[in-house]
């Protein structure tokens, strides 16, 4: 038995093969409503990905298992009259939870999402202070209630302007809410959503995975008296499925989720909000490689509703769409509330005394802030202890056996780790080439800086925030809460630091080293770096204290840095877009990449040469399309597979699509097809 999805019906089939009977219908009502079906069909065409797999990837996991759509009752807790509150006198957690439940009955999901532990609930329940009931049947319909909002701010002039423009929009339109970090964009979203709720319409908010913290979610939960559901990776399959169904049945009013939440069935959707639209996590990196932001715009178009793309650093694609008049830009140039703008300085490392990657000048500034009991954030985009392990005698660099990449030394794990395939190796004692035992770790990583912070700053209470310290479920939230509670005063981490966090006591951001990222062969590298710098800078001075940003570099005259410092992100993005247009790179052209990989290099090259020769043979029919020679990926060998690619770019989307169709029609006929893996990726983020 296999699972099938009905996406249309017809009287007579033109399908040449055998047509299978339907054995059983699993759902009482369509899983996807017609706008979602239209969206998925469009996505299949746009990304040239098989329609069955597109639909399959959009299904909640629970439904992929031939499960029937079944609804469990929702647990709701309410306070009792007869419990003895003296029994929890000493438990702040219990008192806090009881207070919230007393305000109004709360669902188990609500309590979970605002960070109340199951233990606390159990305790209260065992003491008869709270009682549960199941509300699916008796659930009051949210759209029949008065929508009550709590703790909303009076919008300032710029916010109000944005709010009015978007709120007055009837029908489809894409707005770019371009506001510096802390300018009150979220406040605008919340008030727009309130208006939609009053019209009886639902709302969808997409956020990057890492931003979907309890802090973000509780801001929504605390604002509205309507059911809110979430779809993200730390929820179980069942919980995600529940959220999907609650939206579909209009039992929930707001869905907050990551990328895949876009494919939920939301019958009364009134507005879509994409927070941090520039974030690369909206791009699905494997399987059906779609960009959730771009698909969301299509969804808004299909549903004839407004969509808001919020960001402090619009992607170059979005800048291009603003320039072409496809998107309407609304700016918020000042920070909301009391916070000031940050003061940016460059530290020229060539003239500095440097201790463990930190210049004396930066150290002085850090000490000053620490003395004032402020917090400091340090960005270093390298995990691990040291970037490389090198033999001091012969210069041998320890490399991964499966990849063309050097190994990173991780001290906590005491292993050499490949950052491409995650293979772990014991730390060597001798050089395998010359036998010398002086093996030197070189290039600072976050682990190493963390180790030295306490010697450089005796009063430091440092913490590290990178993929290694946050990979365990819930560990990121523990760190975030501890930072909020001032348990730490120095936070060292990777680009993860730059994402959305709001710590009012952080007054200084130090960018330890970005020099290696200034030179890269990826045409998007400078865009990503500029966004990273602006976003991390936005973490400083979010409260009512002055914020400072220091950027350490050996090339202070690099055009990216000077443009960014003197003209800000706007000057950078204008230049970057112009450059892309001159070089006929996206977004001025449509780009796709044919990626081929396999374990046998000869066969991979054989296959891709055939593909290339085929492209040459049809070239004349596609005058607006160009393609590169077969190129080997930057790290050609990864996990013992050789990677090669061909770029395909066209001046028009239409011809691009036709050309790709043409290639796909013959893709199985090239030599060694069964020995290689190949795919065509449309609008790729990375070429290799
Ligand atoms: P963004 O989403 O642009 O980063 P937020 O909406 O998170 O900005 O706002 C940043 C801070 O300013 C928050 O603490 C928020 O409560 C506060 N804030 C937002 N709008 C206003 C306003 N109109 N008046 C006072 N404070 C505000
Ligand atoms: Zn490897």
């Amino acid at each position: 038995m296999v699972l099938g999805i009905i996406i249309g019906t017809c009287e007579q089939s033109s399908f040449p093969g055998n047509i299978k009977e339907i054995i059983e219908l699993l759902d009482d009502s369509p899983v996807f409503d017609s706008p979602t079906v239209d969206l998925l069909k469009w996505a299949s065409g746009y990304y040239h990905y098989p329609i069955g797999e597109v639909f399959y990837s959009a299904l909640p996991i629970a439904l992929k298992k031939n499960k029937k759509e079944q609804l469990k009752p929702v647990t709701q807790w309410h306070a009792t009259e007869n419990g003895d509150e003296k029994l929890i006198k000493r438990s702040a957690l219990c008192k806090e939870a009881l207070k919230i439940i007393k305000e109004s009955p709360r669902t188990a999901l609500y309590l979970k999402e605002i960070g109340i532990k199951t233990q606390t609930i159990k305790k209260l329940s065992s003491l008869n202070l709270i009682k549960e009931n199941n509300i699916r049947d008796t659930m009051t319909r949210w759209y029949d209630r008065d929508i009550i909002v709590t703790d909303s701010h009076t919008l300032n002039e710029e916010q109000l302007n944005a709010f009015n423009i978007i709120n007055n929009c009837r029908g489809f339109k894409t707005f770019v809410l371009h506001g510096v970090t802390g300018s009150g964009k979220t406040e605008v979203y919340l008030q727009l959503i309130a208006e939609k709720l009053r019209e009886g319409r639902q709302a969808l908010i997409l956020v990057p995975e890492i931003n979907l913290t309890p802090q973000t979610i509780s801001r929504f939960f605390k604002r509205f008296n309507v059911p809110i559901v979430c779809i993200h990776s730390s929820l179980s399959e069942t919980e995600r499925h529940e959220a999907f169904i609650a939206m579909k049945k209009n039992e929930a009013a707001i869905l907050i989720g990551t990328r895949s939440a876009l494919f939920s069935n939301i019958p009364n959707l009134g507005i879509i909000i994409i927070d941090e639209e520039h974030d690369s996590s909206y791009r699905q990196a494997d399987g059906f490689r779609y960009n959730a932001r771009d698909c969301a715009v299509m969804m808004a178009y299909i549903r004839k509703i407004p969509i808001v793309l919020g960001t402090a650093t619009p992607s170059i694609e979005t800048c291009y769409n603003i320039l072409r008049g496809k998107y309407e830009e609304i700016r918020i140039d000042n920070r909301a509330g009391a916070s000031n703008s940050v003061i940016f300085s460059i530290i020229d490392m060539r003239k500095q005394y440097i201790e463990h990657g930190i210049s004396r000048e930066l150290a002085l500034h850090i000490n000053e802030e620490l003395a004032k009991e402020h917090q400091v954030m340090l960005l270093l985009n390298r995990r691990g202890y040291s970037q490389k392990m090198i033999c001091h005698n012969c210069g041998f660099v320890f490399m991964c056996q499966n990849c063309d990449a050097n190994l990173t030394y991780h001290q906590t794990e005491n292993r050499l780790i490949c950052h491409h395939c995650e293979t772990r190796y014991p730390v060597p004692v001798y050089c395998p080439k010359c036998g010398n035992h002086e093996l030197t770790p070189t290039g600072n990583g976050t682990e190493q800086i963390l180790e030295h912070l306490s010697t450089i700053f005796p009063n430091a209470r440092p913490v590290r925030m990178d993929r290694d310290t946050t990979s365990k479920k819930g560990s990121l939230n523990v760190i975030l809460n501890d930072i909020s509670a001032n348990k730490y005063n120095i936070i060292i981490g990777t680009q993860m630091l730059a994402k959305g966090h709001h710590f009012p006591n952080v007054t200084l951001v130090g960018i330890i080293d970005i020099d290696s990222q200034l030179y890269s062969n990826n045409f998007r590298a400078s865009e990503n770096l500029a966004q990273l710098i602006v976003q991390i800078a936005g973490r400083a001075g979010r409260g009512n204290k002055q914020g400072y940003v220091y950027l350490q570099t050996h090339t202070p005259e690099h055009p990216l840095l000077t443009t960014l410092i003197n003209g800000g992100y706007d000057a950078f993005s204008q230049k970057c877009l112009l450059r892309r247009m001159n070089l006929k790179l996206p977004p001025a052209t449509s780009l796709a990449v044919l990626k081929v990989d396999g374990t046998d290099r000869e066969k991979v090259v054989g296959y891709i040469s055939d593909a290339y020769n085929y492209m040459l043979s049809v070239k004349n029919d596609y005058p607006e399309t160009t393609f590169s020679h077969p190129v080997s990926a930057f790290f050609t060998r990864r996990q013992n597979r050789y990677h090669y690619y061909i770029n395909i770019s066209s001046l028009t989307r239409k011809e691009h699509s036709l050309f790709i169709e043409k290639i796909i029609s013959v893709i199985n006929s090239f030599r060694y097809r069964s020995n290689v893996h190949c795919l065509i990726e449309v609008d790729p983020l990375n070429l290799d």
Side-chain angles (χ1 to χ4, degrees), residues 153-156 159 180-187 219 336-337 502 542:
H153 290 288
T154 308
L155 297 180
N156 63 35
Q159 285 173 315
V180 294
T181 47
S183 60
K185 296 185 293 294
T186 312
E187 186 62 39
R219 204 162 158 191
H502 179 69
R542 291 176 67 94

Side-chain angles (χ1 to χ4, degrees), residues 182-424:
S183 60
K185 296 185 293 294
T186 312
E187 186 62 39
V188 174
Y189 308 152
L190 287 163
Q191 302 212 12
L192 285 167
I193 293 168
E195 285 306 308
K196 293 297 164 194
L197 296 178
R198 292 192 180 104
E199 293 168 19
R201 309 199 61 178
Q202 297 165 288
L204 168 67
I205 300 104
L206 295 189
V207 293
E209 179 82 45
I210 183 109
N211 292 28
L212 203 48
T213 57
Q215 287 91 329
T216 318
I217 296 172
S218 68
R219 204 162 158 191
F220 283 84
F221 272 89
K222 284 179 181 156
R223 174 75 51 109
F224 302 113
N225 64 332
V226 297
I228 299 176
V229 289
C230 302
I231 294 186
H232 54 82
S233 65
S234 49
L235 293 178
S236 71
E237 270 170 36
T238 325
E239 286 169 316
R240 277 185 265 177
H241 182 215
E242 283 285 324
F244 183 92
I245 302 295
M247 286 311 277
K248 180 180 159 187
K249 303 217 162 203
N250 202 9
E251 285 180 358
I254 300 175
L255 171 60
I256 312 174
T258 49
R259 200 169 56 220
S260 68
L262 174 68
F263 300 123
S264 301
N265 181 342
I266 311 175
N268 286 319
L269 189 59
I271 192 166
I272 304 178
I273 287 162
I274 313 286
D275 194 26
E276 312 288 355
E277 67 85 23
H278 62 277
D279 198 284
S280 60
S281 74
Y282 285 121
R283 176 82 199 187
Q284 168 81 27
D286 51 17
F288 168 37
R289 300 174 185 220
Y290 63 96
N291 185 316
R293 174 199 60 208
D294 299 342
C295 289
V297 171
M298 192 44 147
M299 179 61 120
Y301 169 78
I302 294 171
R303 290 188 181 267
K304 303 189 180 62
I305 56 171
I307 175 169
V308 183
L309 312 181
T311 178
T313 51
S315 63
I316 301 301
E317 271 78 13
T318 292
C319 293
Y320 185 60
N321 284 325
I322 293 170
L323 191 73
R324 291 197 293 167
K326 276 186 77 178
Y327 297 175
E328 178 174 344
E329 182 185 33
I330 308 172
R331 301 186 62 111
I332 307 186
D333 287 325
N334 297 298
R335 281 190 165 186
S339 45
N340 307 303
S341 51
V342 299
I343 298 175
F344 215 110
S345 322
I346 285 195
I347 298 177
D348 185 348
M349 293 294 267
R350 292 170 303 191
K351 303 177 184 130
Q352 288 283 327
Y353 172 78
I354 302 164
E355 201 179 354
H356 302 293
I358 295 180
S359 62
R360 179 152 292 168
E361 186 180 339
L362 178 57
L364 279 174
H365 296 300
I366 293 177
N367 265 326
E368 249 175 57
E369 296 307 308
L370 294 185
K372 287 185 253 172
E373 314 253 309
H374 295 160
Q375 288 167 307
V376 166
M377 256 187 187
L378 302 176
L379 171 82
L380 179 64
N381 227 352
R382 284 196 298 267
R383 292 185 292 133
Y385 189 86
S386 66
Q387 213 185 355
K388 283 182 186 158
M389 191 68 124
I390 296 182
C391 169
H392 192 62
N393 185 43
C394 74
F396 176 84
V397 179
F398 287 83
M399 304 285 286
C400 177
Q401 285 165 13
N402 311 318
C403 307
D404 294 337
N406 62 271
L407 297 168
T408 306
Y409 172 49
H410 286 243
Q411 193 182 49
T412 316
E413 262 198 65
N414 197 26
R415 288 277 182 279
L416 294 180
I417 302 179
C418 170
H419 281 188
H420 291 275
C421 68
E422 298 293 321
T423 306
R424 287 158 158 73

